[in-house]
Amino acid sequence: MTNNKEINVLINGIHGKMGSEVLNAVCKDSSLNLIAGIDKLSSTKPLIIPGQTKTIQIENNINKITDLSKIDVIIDFTNKAGAMEVIRTAVPEGIRIVSGSTGFDSNDYEEINDLAEKFQTGIFIAPNFTTGAILLMHFAKKAARFFDYADINEVHHEAKIDSPSGTAIAIAKSIIDGKKENLSNNIPEKEIIKNSRGANYKGINIHSGRMPGRVAHHELVFGAPGQTLTIKHDSINRESFMPAVIESVKFVIKSNKFTIGLENIMKL
C-alpha cells in the first residue's frame, strides 16, 4: 500500500454498467486511489477521472498494465472468465480481489481458495452487494423450516447474460440450508408450454425475467395451507451496490483468505 495509507485500486470491467458506478464510487472515497482499469471491449486510451484532470491507464488485458506491483485491490464486475483471468494473474502478485461476477462452480471456488491459501492473499466474492438482498437470504433461511413450498421470481435488465441470477441461486441455497431437506414441488400433469413452471432447484421453482426498465428484482414466496409469506427486494439503481463494494475493499485489504458472501461482512 502507499505511504499515505490510500488503497490503490484497479477496476476490471471499468466501462461496463457496474464498472462505471464503481469508478464514481471509488473516486468519491478519499481512502481509495484509482490507478488503472481493464475493459476487454475498450480502446486503450488513458481515461480522465471524472471531475479531475488526472488520467489513468486503461488496457484490454491485465498483462498490459504497466506496474501491477502498485495495485492493492482489483474490483471486478465482468463475468466468470474475466474474473478468473485476473484472479490467476493478480493473486500470485499479492493483489487482493473483490468480485461481483457470477457463474462460478465448485471447481472454480476450489481453485480460488487454493490460490488464496498459497499466496496468503484475500479474495472476496459476493453474488449480490446490496444489504437488502443479503437480508432476504437471511430471512429465507430462518423461515424455510416452517414451509414446504417456495417459488423465486427474479427480473433483471435485458442485457444480463446468465439466468437464474446468482442472487436467486443463493436465495434457493439459503432455503435448503434452513430446511435441511428438499422442498415439495408440484409436477403438472399437462405442461402446455415447456418449462412454464420455471427451473427447479431441489423443489424450489425459479422464474427469470429479462426486460428493460429493471435493475434487479428478487421475490421469494413461501406457501402453506391457507397462507403465503412473500419477501422481496428491489435494486432501483446500481448505486445501491456501491456502499458494500467499498466496504468489501476495506475488508479484503486486511484479509488473507477466500471469503464468499456479504453476510460475512454484515456478520449475520
Side-chain angles (χ1 to χ4, degrees):
M1 293 177 59
T2 55
N3 292 332
N4 60 3
K5 304 301 182 182
E6 286 182 328
I7 301 171
N8 286 335
V9 172
L10 180 151
I11 300 173
N12 189 31
I14 193 167
H15 291 317
K17 292 179 179 179
M18 282 298 295
S20 298
E21 285 290 345
V22 173
L23 168 63
N24 292 329
V26 168
C27 292
K28 291 176 182 177
D29 193 296
S30 61
S31 67
L32 306 183
N33 179 36
L34 181 63
I35 61 171
I38 303 170
D39 197 286
K40 288 285 187 182
L41 301 178
S42 98
S43 68
T44 57
K45 295 179 180 178
L47 176 70
I48 300 175
I49 298 296
Q52 303 180 29
T53 57
K54 172 185 172 183
T55 61
I56 62 169
Q57 182 184 8
I58 300 291
E59 299 292 349
N60 56 22
N61 189 292
I62 189 172
N63 295 309
K64 295 180 181 179
I65 298 298
T66 302
D67 192 353
L68 281 177
S69 64
K70 293 181 179 179
I71 300 166
D72 299 311
V73 178
I74 293 176
I75 304 175
D76 163 73
F77 278 92
T78 55
N79 52 39
K80 170 183 164 177
M84 291 303 296
E85 181 178 28
V86 296
I87 289 170
R88 289 167 179 152
T89 302
V91 172
E93 301 294 327
I95 300 169
R96 289 162 167 80
I97 306 289
V98 169
S99 179
S101 296
T102 58
F104 301 103
D105 58 31
S106 58
N107 291 330
D108 299 320
Y109 284 143
E110 184 176 351
E111 179 183 353
I112 293 167
N113 187 65
D114 288 345
L115 285 167
E117 288 187 351
K118 180 177 180 180
F119 296 101
Q120 289 295 287
T121 299
I123 303 171
F124 179 81
I125 293 176
N128 195 295
F129 279 88
T130 54
T131 52
I134 304 308
L135 287 170
L136 192 162
M137 297 176 204
H138 181 66
F139 299 151
K141 184 175 181 178
K142 294 293 185 183
R145 67 189 181 93
F146 299 101
F147 296 90
D148 294 325
Y149 290 82
D151 270 25
I152 296 171
N153 303 294
E154 60 97 350
V155 186
H156 285 74
H157 55 90
E158 76 283 8
K160 185 171 178 59
I161 62 173
D162 57 330
S163 63
S165 67
T167 299
I169 294 170
I171 294 168
K173 289 181 176 179
S174 294
I175 294 168
I176 298 301
D177 286 346
K179 186 70 173 177
K180 305 301 183 186
E181 61 182 356
N182 292 3
L183 273 69
S184 300
N185 179 248
N186 167 262
I187 305 297
E189 293 183 17
K190 188 175 182 180
E191 192 173 49
I192 306 301
I193 299 176
K194 187 175 176 57
N195 299 324
S196 58
R197 289 287 290 118
N200 187 291
Y201 178 82
K202 298 186 177 181
I204 303 165
N205 288 107
I206 305 177
H207 310 267
S208 296
R210 298 290 177 265
M211 64 178 63
R214 288 286 197 181
V215 174
H217 165 84
H218 293 90
E219 180 182 69
L220 165 62
V221 182
F222 284 113
Q227 63 172 323
T228 60
L229 172 64
T230 301
I231 313 169
K232 69 177 182 177
H233 175 261
D234 287 281
S235 288
I236 308 304
N237 56 46
R238 292 175 179 83
E239 186 180 0
S240 63
F241 294 87
M242 293 307 108
V245 170
I246 301 304
E247 191 64 27
S248 299
V249 171
K250 297 173 182 180
F251 167 84
V252 82
I253 200 69
K254 301 176 183 178
S255 173
N256 294 321
K257 64 180 183 178
F258 177 35
T259 306
I260 303 174
L262 190 61
E263 63 273 16
N264 292 288
I265 295 179
M266 294 171 66
K267 298 181 180 180
L268 293 177

